[in-house]
Structure formats: C-alpha cells, structure tokens
Amino acid sequence: MGLASLEKATLLLYEDDRKEFLGELQDMGILHIANSRLSSLAEEYPDLLPEREQIDKEAEEIFQELGKVIEILKPHTDGRGLLGQFIDLKTALSADEYRSTVKSFKRAEIKDICTRDERRYHLKNKLTELKEKKAFYEVWIKIRVPISQLEALENVVVKVYKIKAKKDEIKETIKDIPVDYTIIFENGMYTGVLFIIYKGFEQEFEETLQNFDAELVDFGEEKRVPREVVSECKSEIKKIEKEISTLSNWITEKSVEFDRFLVLYDYFLSRIKRTDVLNRALTTRQAFFIEGWIDRKNKYALESLVSSHSGVDLKWSKTRKEEKPPVKFKNNKLAEPYEVLTGLYAYPKSNEIDPSPYVGLFFGLFFAFCLTDAVYGLALAIIGIILMPRLPEGRKYLWIFIVGGIFTVFAGAMTGGWLGDIDRLFPALSPFRHRFMIFDPFENPLYFLYLSLGFGAIQILTGLLISVKEKFRKKEYLDAYANEISWILFFIFLGIFIYRYREIGFTTETKFLIGLFISPLFMILLFSWRSNSWIKQIAKGGFRLFRGLVGFLGDILSYSRIMALGLVTAGLAMSVNVLTGLVKEFPVIGPVLAVFVFIGGHIFSLAINTLSGFVHTMRLQFAEFFSYFYEGGGEKFEPFGLAGTYTRIKD
Amino acid sequence: MFGVGSAAFLAGIGSSIGVGIPSRAAAGVLSEQPDKFGRMFILVVLPSTQGFYGFIAAMFMMMKVGMFGGGINFDMSVLEGVQFLMAALPVGILGLISAIHQGLVCTSGVELAAKQPEATMRVVIFAVMVETYAILGFVTSFLMINALG
C-alpha cells in the first residue's frame, strides 16, 4: 500500500540496434526515462553531451499536419457526447487495428485535406469581399451610365456623394448654385446624390456641401455600370458558394474517418517521443547511454528484452545522492481510485507517504453528509455502475462516485433525506422515512454541526497520527513528541475534561484533567522548535503554540461546510417538493406539470449538490487534512510508451 | 419578511454577478474551443451556490414564521422582526461579496482551463477557498435563525 519500489536501470544502446530496441521498449511501456543530461554524470563527463539534438523531421511535419486535420474535421463530427465534455474519452482499438491503421497511412491524404481546407478558407474570404462589394454597388444601381463616364467633361464635373441628410434639405441648400443633380437613393439616414457641377462653381459647391456630413464616393478602378457589377458579383457569389458547399461536403464525408486520424496522430507522437528519448541520453559516436526507472515487478521483462538484442547492455545501478526517483502509486483496489485526487494536488515525494488510502477512508463519508439524500446517493451509485464499462478513462472517478453514493444512501436514511421530505407529497411514505431517521437536519441543526465538527476533529487527529508515524520512520522522535504527540494528548485530555466537567463540574478530578491537557502545551512551548538559544527556542515555540491553537480551531470550523452543504441539499429537495405540491393544484395541466417539476427539480438538485459536495470534500482533504502530514512535489512515474492522447490500445 | 427577502436577495445578487463574470469569459473561450464546455460549465456554476445558501436560509426563516404551516405569524414584535433581519445578514452579505470574488477567481480559471484543461480542478479548489466565508455566514445565519422562536 502506498508507493511501488522502483529500480534504476542503465542501458547502453549501440547505433545498429537502437531503432528496433526503442520500438519494442516503447510497446512495453515499463521504463521511466530519466534526463541523464541534467545529472551529475553529465557534469563529470561533458564530452558525452551531444552537440546536436536528434529530430525525426518527417514525423514532426506529419504530426503538425495531422493536428491541423483533426482541427479541420472536428467541427464536422458529432463530438464525444455530454460525457466527453467532462472526461477525455479515448478511442479504444486493438493492437492489430492500430497496426493496420498505421500501415494504411498515406501522407497525400492529409495534404489533400489541408489543401481543400485552405481553398475553402480562401473562398470564404473572397465570398465576404464579394458580398461587401455587391452591397456597396446595389445602392448605386440607379446610376445607368458606366462609372467611367462619371469623370470630368468639357463643361461640367460629375461627382457622387453619400450625404447624411434628407433630400429636401439638400435641395433647399443647393438651390442657388448652378448644379444639376439626381437622387440615386434615400434610405432614411443617407441620401445618395449624383451632382453635375458646372466648371467654375466647384469651390462654391464644395463650401455649400460642408453644411452636411457628406462623403465623396470613390468607385476605385471600376468602369462599368453598377448593375453590371452587381450582376457579376451575384454570379461569382453563387459559384463560390457552390464550391464551398462541395468542399464542405467532402470534408464532412472525410470526417467519418476522424478516429483513424486520431490514431495516426498518436502514432506520430509516439515516434517523436521515441526520438526524444535520445535527447535525454548521453552519447558517444556509436552508442547512447540511457538511465531510467522501472517497477521492480517488471525487471525480468526488461532483462528479457535486452537479452534478445545483441546491441544493448543493461546494468542495475544504485540511486545517486542527488537523484530523486519518480513515484508510482501502488494501492489495493479500494484505495486505488483516490490516487487521482492525490495526483490532482501533487504527487508524493519518493520518500514520502502516499495519502490516497487515507483520503479513501474519509472521502465517501464526508461526501455522503454533504449530499444527505438516500435517493440521490442511490442514483449516483447506479449511474456510476452503468457508466463504468463505457468509460474506462473515468473509471477511478466513477468508483469514487459509486462509493460516495453508497455512503450517501446511509447518510440520507439517517437524516430522513429521501428526495428531501418526500412524505410532504406522499404522506403514506412518512413511516418509512422516519423509520431510519436519527435526526432531522432542520429540526436539530446543532446536532448536525457537532457531527460535522466531530468528523473534522477525527480527520485532523488522523493527520497528526500519520505525521507521527512518518517522523518515527525518519527517527525524528523528539520532534514528533514535542509537536504532533503533544497536540494529540492535548485534544484527548481536553475532550475528556469537557465531558467530565459537564457531568460532575469543577472537582479534583477535573482539576487534574486541566493539568493533563495543559502539560502537553508546555512541551510544545519548550521543545517544538530547537535552537542554540533558549530564548529563541521558547519564543518560536510560543509562536508555534499560538499558530497551532488558531490553526486547529480554523481547520475544525472549516468542516462546518459538511453541515451547510447537507442543509442546502435537504433544503433544495424540500423546495422542489413544495413547488411540486403547489403546481399540482393548477387546473387541468397541474398533475402533468407537477411530474415535470418534480423530476426536473430533483435532477437539477442532484447535479448542483453533487458538484458542490465533491469539490468541497476535495478541498477538506487538500487544505485541511494534507496540511498536517503531506507536502507532495514528487515526479510522476511516466513510462516511455505509446502516446495515448486520443487513443487507447485494448488489452 | 424583509429579513427573509434580504437573505435570498443579497446572496442571489452576488451569485448572479458571480456567475455572470466567468460566463462572459467562458463564452469567449467556447467560440474558439467548443469541446471545453464541460470544464467551463463547472467554473461558471461554482458561484451559484451562495444564492442557494441565501435561499435555504430564507426558506428556514419562512418555516420559522409559519409560512409553510398554514399562515404567517403576524403577532411578531418589531424586536423579533429585527432579530430575523440580523440573522439574515451574515449569509446575505457574505454571500454577496464572496460570490463576486469567487466569480473573479473562476474567470481566471476559465482562462487557465482554456490553455491547460488538465489544471481545471486545481482552479476549482482555489475558487472553493473563497466560498468558505459564505459557508461560515450561512452556518452563522442558520444557527441564529434556529435560536429564534
């Protein structure tokens, strides 16, 4: 239980056998490759650091192209369903299917998809331009002469303006200037006008026009009649839209093979990773020197692989002082799912305890009291069991929900939570609801609060005990006595004192108990921090004592969230029932509407409260529980294997 | 009635604002990466809890004044009314402020989750830290209401 024992392997690969050996090693996925170039060995033998990086250029290029293809095809697929939005679902395939997909790969195929997509992108841009051009010329469609003729003539100048004014205002303003004009359009805000200005009056015309927000229209290089331009745009747009549609249909058809491209993506990523291994190795002209870590149970498999390659040597070595081996969880089936939660926080250091089994002890219980509804718990457990075979990637999370769900059934029964107060709607269920009920959270919230704080105290004491165990393992006995053990004694005697004081009041026995719970505090004050100076030691011990008292109080109070979330679940479920009862009384549609309100309301309540319950329970583990014994910061054991970004090879 | 209203009203405003802020950021992310809906959803709904705390506190007060039992207790003195109002304030005010700040944390989380989806749950934990004070407010209000007749 905890972390797997890892052994350090040193491999010497000769150039002749390199590719084949690395391919087989990658298929096995058992060795975590260390970066030897950052080790003290590289400092000792700098000649073994290569001048150039190893690059599989072809694989890199194809990998980039495949990434693009996936982006192109993704919008045309039906996605990965609702669950795929929350979990990275992977395409499962057999090793044979994997191999045949890789074998059938043709680079021309991905190039074709990229080219067609680029063409589609180009056409879409052109379509936007054409639509803008069409919209521009459509307003000037009443100009019946070619634009080339709207230039200066012998006696007149022709100008086209877009003016922010009504046509009557324009008419009134320019009536005294020798100008002819035609109103081309009027759209409420702007008026388009073609002016014919007699030469010699241009300046006067310009000055008059300054009374308006007027814009001289520039037709650019265009010479034709606007109608002709619009007509050409229309025909072009039709053509382009048709081509875009053809291209899109082709891409949509191609998206049927989306999963195949995901497999290829992972294959080329695996190839890149294979080359990248060499960039972690020390090298000579003929050989690569690779260091790595392997689970002890896989030692024989590696030895067997090496013995089948004449160009590879293997040596089992000792860990160097400065080296920090990666960590691999090794827990029983019950604790294994909780490794994902530990991993979310931080991987343990190689010499540290794995908190996953302890998280497993408390997580289901706290989650259950955050949810406090037996039917919700049952629903969660059933959903988890149904999804388990379909979602191998989410197996660990689903297991957490199943266990949490089962605990919730009991917590719900204890607090009378069966879809809230179900007997409000179905009074016949009242005896059943009250049969298992130990307390009603709304009637007796203080009881619920004490229970939540009690959970907190137990978990914090467990954290302290784990810390004691760890310190004993490291032979830090005095530190353990002066800190964790003193705190544990303090809490135990304080608890006994409070209990006895309430029973018998202030007597010789309770006075003795006061002495008992105060004495560990002196231990903390005097020895929790060690220094050469007693004054410094006591000052820092005093600070630790103060920080500890405040910290414990704050941490235990934080567990009141269990009660708060439990009440929220019970309250929301009750609100749904109240609302259902009200809606049921509506004439005609009442009963039907009530069914919808009841089912919809409880589904919503289950979803929102499960989310809250899960994240808050997780927070209690990370922020309160871990702070007593766990630091984390280790490197995850990631064996060199086939890439599995999108795919998973079936056993 | 003002006490009942202010518990649900203040915390509800906080949640509305708190949900609104990351929603805008999430909408931006989803326009580019629609497959991240699930992760964005978690971050967007987190600040909605304060609204529920307010609602449940309000409901508990309604139970106390007999709204669910057939009729409101109109014989309540002004002092009793003020006590109910005071009991509503911790969940109302703490819910209002914490939901807005949780919304801001979630907005940062949306940006992070867009770049590193695997880090989403870590941000969720940070956001939950902010909610602690709304929870304390809710527990305080709840105990105060419970202590009232």
Side-chain angles (χ1 to χ4, degrees), chain A residues 163-175 181 183 186 188-189 191 208 211-212:
Chain A
I163 304 169
K164 200 173 183 179
K166 302 271 179 216
K167 67 178 176 186
D168 294 337
E169 290 174 55
I170 301 167
K171 269 185 196 174
E172 186 60 31
T173 313
I174 59 169
K175 66 180 181 190
Y181 63 88
I183 303 293
E186 192 177 17
M189 187 183 275
T191 305
T208 310
N211 294 318
F212 299 106

Side-chain angles (χ1 to χ4, degrees), chain A residues 41-97:
Chain A
L41 212 63
E43 283 173 29
E44 214 174 315
Y45 303 103
D47 293 349
L48 297 179
L49 286 168
E51 286 169 9
R52 278 189 305 140
E53 291 277 295
Q54 296 275 336
I55 294 173
D56 184 346
K57 206 177 164 198
E58 187 198 38
E60 298 260 6
E61 281 174 9
I62 297 174
F63 176 70
Q64 297 291 339
E65 287 166 4
L66 278 164
K68 210 173 155 192
V69 166
I70 289 168
E71 285 305 311
I72 294 167
L73 298 184
K74 202 193 271 177
H76 299 273
T77 61
D78 53 359
R80 315 223 129 192
L82 183 66
L83 282 165
Q85 306 279 344
F86 295 91
I87 299 168
D88 290 325
L89 297 178
K90 292 181 181 179
T91 303
L93 72 166
S94 68
D96 283 344
E97 285 171 320

Side-chain angles (χ1 to χ4, degrees), chain A residues 21 75 115 139 159 223 256 263 305 314 328 352 369 392 400 412-413 454 461 475 481 563 565 591 635:
Chain A
F21 176 78
T115 312
V139 297
K159 284 185 175 175
K223 307 270 182 219
V256 178
V263 177
L305 175 69
L314 167 68
K328 186 185 177 193
E352 206 176 12
F369 278 91
I400 293 172
L461 278 174
K475 297 188 170 56
Y481 280 120
M563 168 235 189
L565 293 169
E635 186 189 356

